Amino acid sequence: MVTNYFTQAAGSDNSTAPASKPVADKCVVKNLNFFYGELQALKSISMTVYEKQVTALIGPSGCGKSTFLRCFNRMHDLYSGNRYDGEIILHPDNENILSRAVDPIEVRMRIGMVFQKPNPFPKSIFENVAYGLRIRGINKRAILEEKVETALRNAALWGEAKDRLNDLAFNLSGGQQQRLCIARALATDPELLLFDEPTSALDPAATASIEELITDLKNKVTILIVTHNMQQAARVSDFTAYMYVGELIEFGVTDTIFIKPKHKQTEDYITGRFG
Amino acid sequence: MDHDKNLTEIRMMIARHRRWDRLFLITGIVTLMIAMLIFFALIMGMVIDGMPRLTLDFFTSFPSRRPGAAGILSAWVGTTLVMLVTAVAAVPLGVSAGVYLEEYAPKNLLTEIIEINVTNLAGVPSIIYGLLALGLFVYQLGLGQSILAAGLTLALLILPVVIVATREAIRSIPVSIREGAYAVGATKWQTVSDHILPYSSAGILTGIIIGLARAIGETAPIITIGALTFIAFLPTSPIQSEFPFLSFEWLMAPFTVMPIQMFNWVSRPEEAFQLNAAAAGLVLVVMTLAMNGLAIYLRYNLRKKIKW
């Protein structure tokens, strides 16, 4: 049933897709169920994440949007008792990243993540960004320096950080720390970047700068973002998925979802009548 | 009018509740003072008795039948070497066990049994460790009444302390830091060696030093494995002037340690030996306090860099 919405959103000619160019599939989620032990947290979710687009996951607390996001980089594998059922096909390889045959480390090397609260390591700014490169065996100073600079530039932090690369990351402000975490994720050129409520711990000014950054980044990387803030979803995303208690209620082009939602429930949530 | 009455009632109620604050405060201060006073009196007693004996000769002389000529050379050398063995044995074992239990062990019944056991081991009387060591190290493994046997015995004794401290330190690292490392593609070992261990090093070091400070004063298990009370020679020096420059003969040497030397002197009838005991006790207390001081210093300095 959900399938209809995303086909409409992506395929129909009269859709209000913000990108006029055709959009390719990056991740296709097929019938995804997820269990924390006995508890089923996600119920047969099917949707597509389009390449070089921003897809927002919205819904009230506890609806499973973060759980869903953390399936994309197999974060749930870190804790015992969690179980996936279904597929997330990553393109262009056409590989099911939830398959037991696929090493979660490999998935995380290809798919980056930015967390709710800025979580820089208690190391220097430089080492924070370089860490992903180092664990890929890159240790040549020149290459590290170049990649760190590119990542910091892409995260709009170079100007503020270039003179203090050896400072501890904790000396940065909250918004700067979050951009540092984005730089850390960008340094290794991820194919997909996951954002888990990246601005919920930030003040409005820092939030605005992160949102601007996300808009800039979508030319380089596919983005999937969880947000509890509907205005944010409307501002930054091209596609929006509305979830409720583990189910995907509606998925489509952001403008459509916000202006003409198909479901009464989506409309109620978006207009603030509940949630 | 009514309003004023209400306010007075509220103020009276607050005053009543405040009384408990004050009562607890006074009780706390009094109890603390009693403890501090006893500690202070003990130290002062030792200082008054022992201070005149604390000359350089006291540190460079072997024990003797003449109290005035007796010193603690063999005792402090023995203590230092035993502590070295203890640290070398207990630190890698304890830290790895802690890391395993926190980061690697599956959460199942076996792990839980191990955890409960480790915690309980910290409370086992030290003489029990001595008995175990007597059977295992001294006889079964044939280590004899050596520095090695004593060091391993004390290592067993402080192992639970090191394990528990390691686990506590690791647990204080927020999940978000761990997930941050995993999210860029780190393996478990990379996460442990690049993040978990460096960030928990302050807590782990504190645990190690507190453990060693406990071990340094242990007497019962060392007596049980048969340390000598009168040693008038030093073990072979670990550093040699000839190739290969290192010698491990000292590991198998008989030895004595500070608390045993003290015990020996205390049990003598002559008054003069009591003064020696006080002086040795003072040295031991200073050693322990210095170790605790070092632990506090290290913790403060290593934690300055880390803010969660």
Side-chain angles (χ1 to χ4, degrees), chain A residues 70 79 108 119 131 170, chain B residues 176 179 182 184 194-195 307:
Chain A
R70 290 161 69 92
Y79 309 98
R108 291 179 207 135
N119 60 347
Y131 185 67
F170 290 132
Chain B
S176 65
E179 291 192 342
Y182 285 121
V184 287
D194 297 343
H195 302 282
K307 280 178 264 173

Side-chain angles (χ1 to χ4, degrees), chain A residues 21-43:
Chain A
K21 58 184 186 214
V23 287
D25 296 355
K26 184 63 202 168
C27 280
V28 180
V29 182
K30 286 183 189 162
N31 221 351
L32 174 68
N33 292 289
F34 179 78
F35 302 85
Y36 288 114
E38 295 296 301
L39 181 84
Q40 182 165 11
L42 298 177
K43 292 166 193 158

